Amino acid sequence: MEYDFSKLNAREFEALVASIIEKELDTKVEVFKSGRDGGVDGRFWIGESKEGIIQCKHYLETPYNTLISKLKSEEAVKVKRLNPSKYIFVTSKELSRANKQEIKEIFKPYIHSDSDIYGKEDLNSFLSKRENHDIVQRNFKLWITSTSVLDLIYNNAIKGRSESTIRDIEEKAYKYVITENHNKGLKILEEKNVIILSGEPGIGKTTLADNLALYYLTKGFEFCDIEENISEAESLFREKEKKKILFYCDDFLGSNLYDAINNKKDSHITKFINRVRKDNSKKFILTSRTNILNKACGLSHSFQNGKILDNEFLLKVENLTAFDKAKILYNHIYHSNLNEDFIEEIYKNKRYKEIIKHQNFNPRIIEFITDSTLVEHLHYEDYWKYIIISLNKPEVIWADYFQNQTDDCVRALTFLTVFNKGKIAENTLRNAYNTFLKIHLVNLGDHSDKSFEAVRKLATKSLLNRNQIAENKFEYTLFNPSIADFILGSYSEEIDLICNIIKSLETEVSIDYLQALFLSKKINSSNSDRILEDLFEYFFERKLNDEDWDFLITLSYCDFLNDKFKIRIEQFLNTLINAYYPKGYRLWELLMILLDFEPEIEFKNFKFLYNFIEDVDNEDTLKKLLDFVDRYDVEDENILMQIELLIENYLQNIVDNNDLDIDYKKHVNYSFYPDGYPKQEIDLNGIENEIREILDFYLEEFNVNVLEKSSFDTHKFASNMDIDAMATKFFENYEPDYEQNYNTSFFSGTSSEDDIDALFER
């Protein structure tokens, strides 16, 4: 049987060799820390006092002459100094009989016979014996790259997409580092049969899922890649009821969240997951971005009732120890094909520690900065600067692709999505794209199709994601959030471009986002004035005629203290407060502007507020409304009645969610039944009194004058609450704190600085 030793890095090869020699000699082999070894990769004892030494050279791609030269100039001197009773030399290179004779001569008299020299063919011969398969299985990467296991893996892939997925997984497995996450994932799958790997982009969800899948394929599980339709998996389940099957779904619900929930597919998915849970011959591995999974569980009663999150395993960078990160970095460097001068830039002054400790460390960035094809245009002296920029500003990952490998039309769709705060409905994007082509100079380049349908297909899955949000309705998001950081960093000085993007979008979201960019200084103040002047000129009269109040409020709020816009904003406000029952949702911004335009604005009445205050549901807006009513001594009964209702609804919501942190536990009295069983009694009056006290304290931050004017009564409000139901709900979900006996190195642990230095020692 053939094994692919090229997939192992130098440290992994040393660990393998130690296992082989230990079993071959039937004696314990001491393995030392990786690093400058003085010619010793392993040590064993012959009798009580005679020392045996093992030396490994993982020189698979090194020419034989170079190996011999190194042995003569460096290793022979070390061996003479060590003066062992026995010396075993192991290399991953193929060695002929003549080669072994030459090596034996170099290390004379320490190598006793040719059998103390192991080449690639000797390692393969040893590992192929059935009694030594335990060593292979302990070396994950070696096991999955053996010819027999590869045949097993490929034969177990369901034909079609599953077969292609498996080949992709296997080809990338050599860079994989087994961390505690891997062991934890296997444990969950063994116990529950289902695991949902969640986390932020770049954390390694798919990589872990891939290698968990490989593990089960080596155990004889067939592989079924589920892309969209759960029905194909169900059919296979029925067809092969007693066969071992691994179901695999990458980016669970990522592009079909709303479709799944709106069309009741969520219950379909829940039933299938529960079916797998109960059948130990089946496994199900899913990945999901944390925000998507949380949103799905928030929207779907089926997911909530089915306790989908019970299968979640959240991946975080904090879960990786410093040594885990070191192994990830080392492995990527080892397999990178980087020029030696580039690698030296990482090793210089132990800079690898800066990478390992960087707050933006994640496996995706490490893969990026060690990709030799992406840095081949650099001089090696600029490489470290490139690494630091990539870590500090991960968005540079997109620079080359965006600026050199796409055209103006694909870039246009990306610009429009970014400036709509990274998310945009398909119809809005289509209209904005068509407008943008008319008002902005675009290089159409060749004669290929530049229609929205053609261009969005080019942009999707490289710069944008297309997600279904309802039947026949789609929404676009950025393929990666760092795309926005790159674009804002690269194009913030392009005033005409920004103006034309906002004009094409014509959305309140884009105006809001623009203001956020002004406030965060991502667009400097001198440019913001010019941009707003252009937008006021373009939008103002048309939006005023259309009575598009929220758009005008949003645009005005960007810089309502600026004298350049004062006359127009005043005109807009006077038109609004005298309009016939105007309706809008941006009450907080409207009140802010109105308060700053006194006394230019004269109120005849306050009926213009009626429709604006219908849906107030946040504390800041509610407080601002109360302050406005107090300042202008508003006596309108309709407004005061609405305020009372708004406050009651708001407080009910925060009490229901226990945002006030009511300590229900302290209102439980424990006693025992005559037979000795414990019982608990809940003091409902005590809970109600605590709620009253906290609410009284909480409402001190609200305008007391208006609260009195609106007849709101805290005690009446508390008396009308269903305290019994609230307490019951709390204790249904309450779980006592138990002492956890977790392995601390998995959650946060620190690794020895010496271990990291030893790993990177050259």
Side-chain angles (χ1 to χ4, degrees):
M1 188 186 302
E2 285 290 318
Y3 294 94
D4 188 353
F5 299 108
S6 70
K7 305 302 185 187
L8 305 181
N9 65 42
R11 310 308 180 216
E12 292 164 340
F13 182 68
E14 290 168 8
L16 172 66
V17 168
S19 300
I20 290 173
I21 301 303
E22 189 168 77
K23 193 160 190 177
E24 182 85 314
L25 300 182
D26 192 23
T27 188
K28 180 176 176 57
V29 171
E30 296 176 76
V31 180
F32 302 100
K33 284 182 179 179
S34 304
R36 186 169 294 155
D37 51 35
V40 180
D41 289 319
R43 179 174 66 176
F44 56 94
W45 294 95
I46 305 164
E48 294 185 0
S49 58
K50 293 182 178 180
E51 184 181 40
I53 297 297
I54 304 168
Q55 178 61 220
C56 304
K57 291 299 174 190
H58 190 23
Y59 280 8
L60 202 65
E61 303 300 325
T62 304
Y64 175 73
N65 290 340
T66 305
L67 169 62
I68 293 299
S69 175
K70 208 164 187 65
L71 295 184
K72 288 178 179 178
S73 63
E74 297 179 12
E75 300 304 325
V77 178
K78 295 177 184 176
V79 174
K80 188 174 182 179
R81 185 175 64 248
L82 292 166
N83 192 29
S85 296
K86 185 179 180 69
Y87 186 72
I88 296 177
F89 177 78
V90 186
T91 179
S92 53
K93 286 194 69 62
E94 289 184 350
L95 298 176
S96 66
R97 185 172 181 275
N99 295 153
K100 289 189 176 185
Q101 287 290 327
E102 186 175 7
I103 293 171
K104 180 183 175 184
E105 192 64 27
I106 293 171
F107 293 112
K108 189 178 181 179
Y110 307 106
I111 292 182
H112 299 161
S113 70
D114 289 2
S115 63
D116 291 336
I117 301 171
Y118 290 73
K120 180 180 177 182
E121 63 287 343
D122 302 301
L123 298 175
N124 270 313
S125 175
F126 179 88
L127 294 169
S128 297
K129 295 175 183 176
R130 183 177 296 276
E131 62 267 26
N132 298 326
H133 281 189
D134 59 320
I135 293 177
V136 178
Q137 292 183 11
R138 289 202 303 270
N139 288 266
F140 181 72
K141 281 196 267 187
L142 192 68
W143 169 242
I144 64 172
T145 56
S146 66
T147 51
S148 62
V149 171
L150 285 176
D151 287 342
L152 179 66
I153 287 172
Y154 293 138
N155 289 336
N156 280 344
I158 308 301
K159 298 299 180 185
R161 184 177 65 250
S162 297
E163 192 172 33
S164 173
T165 301
I166 278 296
R167 291 195 178 275
D168 289 342
I169 290 173
E170 188 276 324
E171 286 171 5
K172 294 182 289 186
Y174 68 96
K175 286 188 178 179
Y176 185 58
V177 171
I178 292 182
T179 65
E180 195 59 33
N181 283 343
H182 181 94
N183 300 326
K184 181 78 171 179
L186 284 179
K187 184 179 179 184
I188 292 172
L189 275 169
E190 285 299 303
E191 293 175 353
K192 297 184 177 181
N193 297 331
V194 178
I195 188 170
I196 302 175
L197 301 170
S198 68
E200 297 307 310
I203 190 60
K205 301 182 295 295
T206 299
T207 303
L208 178 55
D210 290 349
N211 286 278
L212 291 176
L214 281 179
Y215 173 84
Y216 280 100
L217 289 176
T218 66
K219 301 298 180 185
F221 280 73
E222 293 186 46
F223 180 81
C224 176
D225 181 11
I226 304 170
E227 192 170 60
E228 294 180 357
N229 193 347
I230 204 78
S231 299
E232 60 180 312
E234 289 180 315
S235 299
L236 191 64
F237 202 124
R238 289 191 296 271
E239 180 186 333
K240 302 186 177 185
E241 190 171 350
K242 296 183 180 179
K243 291 280 184 92
K244 294 194 293 186
I245 303 175
L246 172 77
F247 299 100
Y248 173 98
C249 182
D250 193 22
D251 199 15
F252 172 49
L253 297 172
S255 59
N256 296 292
L257 170 61
Y258 291 95
D259 178 56
I261 293 170
N262 292 340
N263 293 312
K264 306 303 179 186
K265 294 179 184 176
D266 50 343
S267 59
H268 206 186
I269 294 167
T270 303
K271 287 176 183 176
F272 183 75
I273 287 176
N274 287 330
R275 193 175 175 190
V276 173
R277 277 174 175 163
K278 298 172 186 176
D279 189 334
N280 289 329
S281 70
K282 308 294 186 292
K283 305 292 178 186
F284 197 0
I285 301 173
L286 309 95
T287 72
S288 178
R289 284 163 286 168
T290 303
N291 62 325
I292 293 291
L293 184 61
N294 290 340
K295 186 181 290 184
C297 290
L299 292 171
S300 168
H301 293 298
S302 179
F303 286 167
Q304 293 165 17
N305 297 335
K307 297 183 178 179
I308 291 292
L309 289 181
D310 286 357
N311 305 288
E312 183 188 19
F313 178 33
L314 178 62
L315 301 182
K316 295 181 179 180
V317 171
E318 304 91 88
N319 289 356
L320 296 172
T321 66
F323 196 61
D324 283 338
K325 294 178 184 178
K327 288 189 291 183
I328 291 169
L329 176 59
Y330 176 83
N331 209 34
H332 276 78
I333 293 171
Y334 187 89
H335 292 291
S336 66
N337 293 321
L338 283 169
N339 181 283
E340 189 64 30
D341 289 334
F342 282 74
I343 295 176
E344 185 58 37
E345 289 298 305
I346 297 176
Y347 277 75
K348 188 185 296 182
N349 300 323
K350 299 182 180 180
R351 285 168 165 174
Y352 48 80
K353 288 186 176 179
E354 289 185 49
I355 299 174
I356 293 164
K357 294 176 181 178
H358 198 283
Q359 62 179 359
N360 289 336
F361 181 102
N362 76 27
R364 181 176 294 168
I365 293 177
I366 300 308
E367 183 175 15
F368 172 76
I369 63 177
T370 57
D371 189 331
S372 59
T373 61
L374 293 176
V375 301
E376 57 187 9
H377 63 287
L378 293 174
H379 189 273
Y380 75 88
E381 291 180 343
D382 298 322
Y383 182 48
W384 181 249
K385 181 180 178 182
Y386 170 83
I387 289 174
I388 294 302
I389 291 173
S390 299
L391 286 165
N392 289 340
K393 298 182 177 181
E395 62 271 15
V396 301
I397 292 172
W398 304 102
D400 180 64
Y401 181 82
F402 188 80
Q403 294 173 334
N404 301 321
Q405 300 180 47
T406 60
D407 62 22
D408 273 4
C409 294
V410 171
R411 283 191 282 270
L413 288 186
T414 312
F415 286 139
L416 293 165
T417 305
V418 166
F419 278 87
N420 208 62
K421 208 174 180 180
K423 183 167 65 176
I424 188 167
E426 185 165 80
N427 285 339
T428 305
L429 183 57
R430 178 186 288 106
N431 294 335
Y433 172 74
N434 292 329
T435 301
F436 187 79
L437 294 188
K438 293 174 185 175
I439 67 174
H440 191 78
L441 182 61
V442 174
N443 181 4
L444 297 177
D446 55 33
H447 297 291
S448 59
D449 187 356
K450 304 299 181 183
S451 67
F452 174 78
E453 288 299 320
V455 175
R456 67 98 175 157
K457 289 176 182 177
L458 294 175
T460 303
K461 291 306 175 189
S462 58
L463 292 165
L464 302 178
N465 291 321
R466 184 176 188 248
N467 308 314
Q468 189 169 9
I469 56 175
E471 188 173 356
N472 298 322
K473 287 188 177 181
F474 295 87
E475 179 181 77
Y476 290 77
T477 57
L478 296 174
F479 186 73
N480 189 289
S482 60
I483 294 173
D485 296 327
F486 158 68
I487 286 175
L488 296 173
S490 301
Y491 296 92
S492 61
E493 296 293 322
E494 301 293 330
I495 296 174
D496 289 342
L497 172 65
I498 294 171
C499 287
N500 288 336
I501 290 170
I502 304 300
K503 290 174 186 176
S504 302
L505 286 166
E506 201 167 324
T507 62
E508 293 160 34
V509 173
S510 65
I511 301 293
D512 263 339
Y513 189 56
L514 189 63
Q515 191 205 16
L517 296 178
F518 295 160
L519 293 173
S520 63
K521 308 297 182 184
K522 290 185 177 179
I523 297 177
N524 67 53
S525 56
S526 60
N527 288 341
S528 64
D529 277 359
R530 291 170 61 189
I531 291 170
L532 284 176
E533 283 183 59
D534 194 355
L535 296 181
F536 264 97
E537 191 66 38
Y538 184 82
F539 285 121
F540 187 78
E541 293 299 333
R542 178 159 56 88
K543 293 296 181 181
L544 194 61
N545 290 333
D546 293 344
E547 296 188 346
D548 193 343
W549 308 121
D550 278 339
F551 191 95
L552 286 169
I553 292 170
T554 308
L555 182 61
S556 301
Y557 189 70
C558 282
D559 196 359
F560 59 87
L561 299 178
N562 194 322
D563 288 338
K564 294 178 181 178
F565 314 124
K566 192 168 184 179
I567 294 175
R568 280 181 168 158
I569 294 175
E570 186 178 331
Q571 178 190 353
F572 148 60
L573 292 176
N574 277 312
T575 305
L576 169 64
I577 66 173
N578 290 299
Y580 183 74
Y581 293 116
K583 184 173 179 61
Y585 300 95
R586 293 185 168 264
L587 177 62
W588 190 85
E589 293 93 334
L590 173 60
L591 295 176
M592 286 288 292
I593 300 170
L594 286 170
L595 289 169
D596 272 285
F597 267 78
E598 185 188 22
E600 288 88 349
I601 305 301
E602 295 183 9
F603 300 101
K604 296 179 181 177
N605 57 60
F606 296 94
K607 292 181 180 180
F608 71 91
L609 287 174
Y610 286 3
N611 292 321
F612 272 93
I613 65 178
E614 280 182 348
D615 302 306
V616 174
D617 59 358
N618 69 79
E619 182 178 319
D620 288 340
T621 305
L622 197 50
K623 286 180 178 177
K624 183 63 65 178
L625 174 61
L626 267 60
D627 290 342
F628 181 87
V629 168
D630 187 38
R631 179 167 177 172
Y632 292 101
D633 196 23
V634 177
E635 297 289 348
D636 189 302
E637 291 185 7
N638 187 26
I639 291 175
L640 295 176
M641 182 179 66
Q642 281 183 280
I643 286 174
E644 182 181 4
L645 185 60
L646 288 171
I647 292 173
E648 287 181 359
N649 290 339
Y650 175 70
L651 293 180
Q652 185 66 57
N653 186 51
I654 64 173
V655 169
D656 287 345
N657 294 328
N658 202 23
D659 293 336
L660 298 176
D661 294 324
I662 306 299
D663 189 359
Y664 288 93
K665 299 188 293 298
K666 75 178 183 182
H667 298 289
V668 178
N669 299 315
Y670 294 97
S671 58
F672 293 90
Y673 290 102
D675 57 7
Y677 279 92
K679 66 176 179 178
Q680 65 179 32
E681 296 176 350
I682 301 172
D683 180 7
L684 299 180
N685 289 330
I687 295 175
E688 183 178 327
N689 289 333
E690 183 179 354
I691 290 175
R692 277 202 192 96
E693 290 174 11
I694 294 178
L695 284 179
D696 283 337
F697 177 77
Y698 183 76
L699 288 172
E700 286 179 4
E701 296 183 9
F702 286 74
N703 193 301
V704 178
N705 293 335
V706 180
L707 288 177
E708 292 176 354
K709 190 184 291 187
S710 68
S711 303
F712 176 79
D713 187 323
T714 308
H715 289 253
K716 178 182 175 184
F717 170 77
S719 299
N720 289 333
M721 289 191 300
D722 190 343
I723 305 295
D724 191 8
M726 290 161 52
T728 301
K729 178 183 175 183
F730 173 81
F731 284 107
E732 280 177 354
N733 299 318
Y734 170 65
E735 294 182 8
D737 294 329
Y738 296 106
E739 183 178 352
Q740 302 291 346
N741 293 314
Y742 294 122
N743 181 338
T744 55
S745 66
F746 166 58
F747 287 98
S748 61
T750 57
S751 297
S752 163
E753 295 284 320
D754 291 340
D755 287 344
I756 293 173
D757 286 336
L759 177 65
F760 282 89
E761 189 69 61
R762 303 177 72 184

